Amino acid sequence: MSELFDAVDALVASRSPLPPPAERKRLRQAHGFTLDEVAATLKVRRATVGAWESGKTEPRPPQREPYAHLLKQLARLYPTSPASAEDATPAISAATAVPAAPPVPAEAAHSAAAAAVTAPVPAPAAPAPSPAAAPRPARGSRRPGAPRAAAAHSPAPAGSGAYAHGPLLVLDADDEQQVTGFGTGGLLLDVTAKSLPALVEWALSEARVGAQKLHASGRDADPLLVLTAAACERYGLPAALSDAERSAGRLPEGHRVIKLLERAGWKLTRRGLGPWARIYRPVTGGRRQCVQLCIPSWNALDDRAWGHAATLEPAELARVLGVYAHRVMTPVGSSAVSGLELMTALNPPTRASEPDQDGKRHSEHRPGSLGTESLDPAPCEAIDGHPVLAHLPRFHIRGPQERLFEEAYDWARDLTDAECMQPHLVGIDVNLAFGAAANGAVVGLDAHPEHVTAPVFDPAVPGSWLVDLSHVDLSRVKVAKQWRDLEGGLLPSPFTPTGERPEGPAWYATPTVAYAVELGYDVTPVEAWVRPRSGRFLDGWYKRLRDAYVTTMADLGVAEKLPPGEFLEAMDGYRGRDPELGIVVDAVKMTVKGGIGKLQEKARGGGWVPGQAWPALARPTWRPDIRAAVISRARVNMHRKMTALAAATGRYPVAVLSDCAVYTADGPSPLDVLPYDQDGKTVPGSFRLGVSPGMVKHEGTQDVLWGVGVLEQLGGEGKVANLARYIKTGEVTARDTGE
């Protein structure tokens, strides 16, 4: 008989009453328990407890009774207040609140190119709230229709039209292999697709995911699906790539999932099914069918740009990527790839023509763009191995008279005796230096360069110039159109990345030669490759990235136009205020750097041989001359600011690395380097503290004795260690020392 009573007790325990999921989380957090602690006590996985708290799943025996007992004990300690009880009320998921709508048909007459790939034009959608405006989502998730705490505190996008559910979804699978899509603003969607081909179909027909085009002549962004490791396994993909697959950057062609896609009529681009994969069908009836995949567990989110984003919970990752998509663009690859794609999205190469006699529109070149055809660079602009240099002997090394070498600064010098007596080394870093340099840059557009001998230099014409600048004397230069005497040898040369004075004729981009004229010296080019058809191609690109950076920094408490002292205070620990938005800031910065670097993408892969074309050369955006012009402007801007500061204060940098300069100072703050008067004004044309691109922030401070030690440790044989490389953390690794 006792066995029957035990069985009855077990049956009752299997249905132990539990508070709503939001209340479960509140009780755990009120007592300071972590998910890991609860999971270890109940002998389940951390994700399982998170699913209980989000309502995705419900606890089962034998864990249900002890879990109910734990919550009952906590409820006695932390009674529910009326406000929290209201918050714990089950919330309606955005996935169920917004009825599905059929796709809106394409309007080919307004497409970017009537003969090219086009996208459907969605009906006007109500503006969705910025993903960053919502509070950071709670960890865990739920299935639509079940309660979820985050849904009560993070409004889901209440839009309509083809892209009502935002630009992307992060897909995660639970222990029961049920898949949930996490969108921006706390959105949750049930994903019913059982295979990868079905998932692609679902994304295009039911998910209502994507983003509208950034330019009237462009195309809409494809839906982005981010697959967690659990979602990968659910759809037959490995949670991680093997060593061979990682080396190849993709799954092998014979993988069964790829075969499933092929049978369903889907195609993959040349990069295959890798960390970033584009799955598409050829355009039919003017309708574009394409879905982008991102797989973080395959290293799609490089930690150099995305920090710890790959380790975030699905809802948090959706927020990070959603903010980036909202402010920059829906990511389509690495930050460098996205930076390059953003240029084309904002400045499309084609547009729809006016109607012809039959009322039809055609694709035509759009003025101000780079066009649709790739262009060969001038021989001096080509990197080693380019087909235009195939006539050169093997192993030929080109010098400055044969090759344009515009790169960022890497310069350092020994400290003077007076500088050794000062206690501090202070590093200052230019915000988005390459972005600021891109703003206003006049670059060649859609025509091949023209070769000219004995040209007259014109600073308004972009190109490459062979000219001797060795006569420019940095001890006497014009600053703000006035001749000033400076201490020779304490400033780097603005004409070489190493800061060394040029020894004779060399190739330079237009901004470098124009700066020599600005400093007060005549120039006489020997020859040039010029591009008369020019424009400010990068202005819109800079503005969008600038706005993304400044807006996100403002969300982190660092606003524009703060007084210098308040700015430095706001910058102190700004990342800790919202680590997820800190990731977005880093991604934006790497988008700027990577996008400029991608303009001169080198050959990759073991099969390439010098003189043979590589895939990147087929792009209209393979433009080393544009990259050279931007880097030239960034280096010149840096030198102009250092020269203005030296002329006004007698302070000279001891090291410069790209956009970071190091000065000795009597105090540890940038305010001990940069003079500000009572009105908040500093030296005109020099460094200014602030968050805007082109202004500077504090990079780091170290003792002068530390700097002397680094110079002794890493120097020797005429080599001077660049202190700007170590000023931020002060750490010198074994790799730096060569051990």
Side-chain angles (χ1 to χ4, degrees), residues 168-393:
L168 57 91
L169 292 173
V170 179
L171 306 186
D172 189 32
D174 59 19
D175 295 339
E176 299 176 354
Q177 296 295 295
Q178 293 179 322
V179 180
T180 300
F182 296 76
T184 58
L187 173 73
L188 291 167
L189 291 177
D190 259 331
V191 182
T192 57
K194 305 301 183 184
S195 66
L196 191 58
L199 178 65
V200 176
E201 295 275 8
W202 174 85
L204 292 171
S205 61
E206 299 181 40
R208 302 170 73 191
V209 173
Q212 293 194 18
K213 53 195 174 186
L214 299 179
H215 189 280
S217 295
R219 60 175 175 80
D220 293 354
D222 299 318
L224 173 62
L225 302 180
V226 184
L227 306 184
T228 66
C232 284
E233 294 177 343
R234 171 64 184 82
Y235 290 114
L237 299 170
L241 296 177
S242 66
D243 291 341
E245 292 166 346
R246 189 163 47 251
S247 177
R250 66 186 72 187
L251 291 181
E253 294 295 329
H255 195 279
R256 66 183 188 86
V257 173
I258 296 179
K259 291 182 177 179
L260 285 175
L261 289 170
E262 292 173 348
R263 289 194 204 105
W266 294 105
K267 297 179 178 293
L268 292 165
T269 59
R270 187 164 44 202
R271 61 184 175 184
L273 187 49
W276 290 91
R278 193 179 292 276
I279 304 173
Y280 71 99
R281 279 179 180 152
V283 176
T284 55
R287 180 170 179 261
R288 179 181 174 87
Q289 300 181 74
C290 187
V291 171
Q292 178 81 47
L293 296 186
C294 168
I295 306 178
S297 61
W298 294 7
N299 200 33
L301 302 177
D302 187 347
D303 56 10
R304 290 173 296 180
W306 293 99
H308 64 284
T311 65
L312 293 175
E313 294 289 329
E316 296 168 336
L317 180 56
R319 179 179 181 239
V320 169
L321 296 177
V323 172
Y324 181 90
H326 179 75
R327 294 178 178 173
V328 181
M329 69 176 296
T330 304
V332 293
S334 67
S335 57
V337 170
S338 295
L340 193 69
E341 290 292 322
L342 181 64
M343 296 179 191
T344 303
L346 293 169
N347 208 332
T350 59
R351 67 182 180 185
S353 68
E354 292 297 322
D356 60 17
Q357 294 179 348
D358 298 327
K360 295 182 179 180
R361 297 177 185 265
H362 305 275
S363 175
E364 66 177 13
H365 171 68
R366 188 178 153 275
S369 72
L370 297 185
T372 58
E373 297 182 0
S374 60
L375 302 175
D376 281 339
C380 63
E381 298 165 350
I383 60 177
D384 292 339
H386 193 283
V388 302
L389 304 176
H391 63 284
L392 293 178

Side-chain angles (χ1 to χ4, degrees), residues 34-209:
T34 65
L35 288 173
D36 291 320
E37 289 174 323
V38 176
T41 302
L42 299 177
K43 298 181 180 180
V44 295
R45 295 190 304 129
R46 179 181 184 275
T48 302
V49 180
W52 294 345
E53 291 185 354
S54 65
K56 182 186 290 187
T57 61
E58 289 294 314
R60 299 175 179 176
Q63 284 83 17
R64 186 180 179 99
E65 184 178 12
Y67 184 52
H69 181 68
L70 169 66
L71 296 175
K72 184 177 180 180
Q73 294 289 91
L74 294 176
R76 292 174 180 172
L77 296 174
Y78 308 100
T80 305
S81 64
S84 61
E86 182 179 348
D87 287 343
T89 302
I92 299 176
S93 167
T96 58
V98 182
V104 179
E107 297 177 7
H110 300 288
S111 65
V117 175
T118 57
V121 179
S130 168
R136 294 172 62 191
R139 293 181 179 269
S141 60
R142 68 167 179 88
R143 306 212 63 71
R148 177 180 183 267
H153 301 284
S154 180
S160 60
Y163 307 136
H165 293 154
L168 57 91
L169 292 173
V170 179
L171 306 186
D172 189 32
D174 59 19
D175 295 339
E176 299 176 354
Q177 296 295 295
Q178 293 179 322
V179 180
T180 300
F182 296 76
T184 58
L187 173 73
L188 291 167
L189 291 177
D190 259 331
V191 182
T192 57
K194 305 301 183 184
S195 66
L196 191 58
L199 178 65
V200 176
E201 295 275 8
W202 174 85
L204 292 171
S205 61
E206 299 181 40
R208 302 170 73 191
V209 173

Side-chain angles (χ1 to χ4, degrees), residues 296-495:
S297 61
W298 294 7
N299 200 33
L301 302 177
D302 187 347
D303 56 10
R304 290 173 296 180
W306 293 99
H308 64 284
T311 65
L312 293 175
E313 294 289 329
E316 296 168 336
L317 180 56
R319 179 179 181 239
V320 169
L321 296 177
V323 172
Y324 181 90
H326 179 75
R327 294 178 178 173
V328 181
M329 69 176 296
T330 304
V332 293
S334 67
S335 57
V337 170
S338 295
L340 193 69
E341 290 292 322
L342 181 64
M343 296 179 191
T344 303
L346 293 169
N347 208 332
T350 59
R351 67 182 180 185
S353 68
E354 292 297 322
D356 60 17
Q357 294 179 348
D358 298 327
K360 295 182 179 180
R361 297 177 185 265
H362 305 275
S363 175
E364 66 177 13
H365 171 68
R366 188 178 153 275
S369 72
L370 297 185
T372 58
E373 297 182 0
S374 60
L375 302 175
D376 281 339
C380 63
E381 298 165 350
I383 60 177
D384 292 339
H386 193 283
V388 302
L389 304 176
H391 63 284
L392 293 178
R394 192 177 182 186
F395 304 122
H396 175 73
I397 299 177
R398 295 184 296 158
Q401 295 187 46
E402 296 178 272
R403 178 187 176 189
L404 176 70
F405 194 66
E406 295 283 10
E407 299 294 340
Y409 266 130
D410 188 351
W411 169 86
R413 62 173 175 84
D414 285 320
L415 277 65
T416 64
D417 291 343
E419 289 169 340
C420 288
M421 298 302 294
Q422 293 184 289
H424 300 286
L425 288 163
V426 180
I428 53 177
D429 180 79
V430 180
N431 301 316
L432 293 188
F434 294 120
N439 185 36
V442 178
V443 301
L445 294 178
D446 56 336
H448 290 277
E450 301 175 6
H451 186 250
V452 185
T453 56
V456 176
F457 176 68
D458 185 348
V461 176
S464 301
W465 309 78
L466 181 61
V467 59
D468 188 352
L469 299 181
S470 61
H471 64 289
V472 178
D473 182 7
L474 293 181
S475 65
R476 182 167 176 76
V477 297
K478 279 188 176 180
V479 180
K481 299 182 179 180
Q482 294 183 353
W483 285 98
R484 301 294 297 269
D485 292 325
L486 302 175
E487 293 191 42
L490 297 186
L491 276 175
S493 168
F495 309 128

